[in-house]
């Protein structure tokens, strides 16, 4: 059994990660999924949360929002709507997005798309949490 798997994380904008990982966690629709080399094949939808993977003795943290992951015994492919490495997260931007979303949610304005604001809040909160984990 190989002790690593090929990990690719892609968004519509860019290739975020291409690495040989030995372990990872990702936020599936029904909760976090832990993956080791040789995992049984599956496809899962992603929610909003943190991806953690380790490679060469280093642990990496990323914020991810929506998409799919395909898990194969020797390869994991993540196709995400958005994904940022912890060190690339603009904290000020995330704080502003969080504040905007919170204001929309409590405004009581019937024009506000509640689901959209709630999703924006979730993304911003995740980005702030993940940004704190940079090495
Ligand atoms: P904002 O209102 O600040 O645009 P958002 O949650 O609506 O936030 P998204 O639609 O999720 O933004 O993402 C749009 C693009 O901007 C994606 O490429 C995403 O990776 C990037 N992005 C969003 N917020 C940040 C951030 N705080 N730091 C770095 N990149 C970000």
């Amino acid at each position: 059994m190989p002790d690593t798997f090929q990990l690719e994380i892609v968004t519509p904008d860019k290739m975020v990660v291409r690495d040989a990982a030995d372990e990872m966690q990702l936020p599936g629709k029904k909760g976090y999924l832990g993956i080791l080399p040789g995992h049984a094949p599956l496809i899962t939808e992603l929610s909003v949360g943190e991806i953690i993977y380790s490679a060469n003795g280093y642990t990496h943290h990323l914020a991810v929002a929506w998409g799919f992951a395909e898990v194969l015994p020797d390869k994991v492919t993540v196709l995400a709507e958005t994904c940022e490495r912890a060190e690339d997260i603009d904290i000020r931007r995330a704080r502003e997005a969080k504040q905007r979303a919170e204001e929309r949610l409590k405004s009581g304005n019937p024009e506000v798309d509640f689901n959209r604001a709630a999703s924006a809040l979730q993304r911003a909160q995740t980005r702030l949490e993940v940004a704190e984990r940079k090495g």
Side-chain angles (χ1 to χ4, degrees), residues 79-128:
L79 305 173
E81 281 188 26
T82 67
C83 186
E84 306 90 36
R85 290 178 176 273
E87 53 273 29
D88 294 332
I89 291 172
D90 178 338
I91 292 176
R92 190 168 150 192
R93 177 174 168 179
R95 280 200 190 118
E96 287 170 1
K98 178 169 182 267
Q99 199 176 348
R100 267 197 315 277
E102 282 171 343
E103 279 163 11
R104 287 192 178 117
L105 288 172
K106 66 182 180 205
S107 68
N109 180 345
E111 308 243 306
V112 166
D113 179 337
F114 189 89
N115 289 337
R116 186 174 161 188
S119 178
L121 178 59
Q122 216 186 342
R123 289 195 300 277
Q125 271 170 336
T126 297
R127 286 178 176 129
L128 291 172

Side-chain angles (χ1 to χ4, degrees), residues 28-60:
K29 262 284 154 72
K30 295 181 194 151
Y32 276 82
L33 189 69
I35 299 163
L36 293 169
H39 197 287
L42 64 84
I43 288 181
T44 182
E45 254 185 274
L46 299 174
S47 57
V48 177
E50 181 176 11
I51 290 180
I52 306 174
Y53 77 90
S54 57
N56 281 320
Y58 290 96
T59 303
H60 303 266

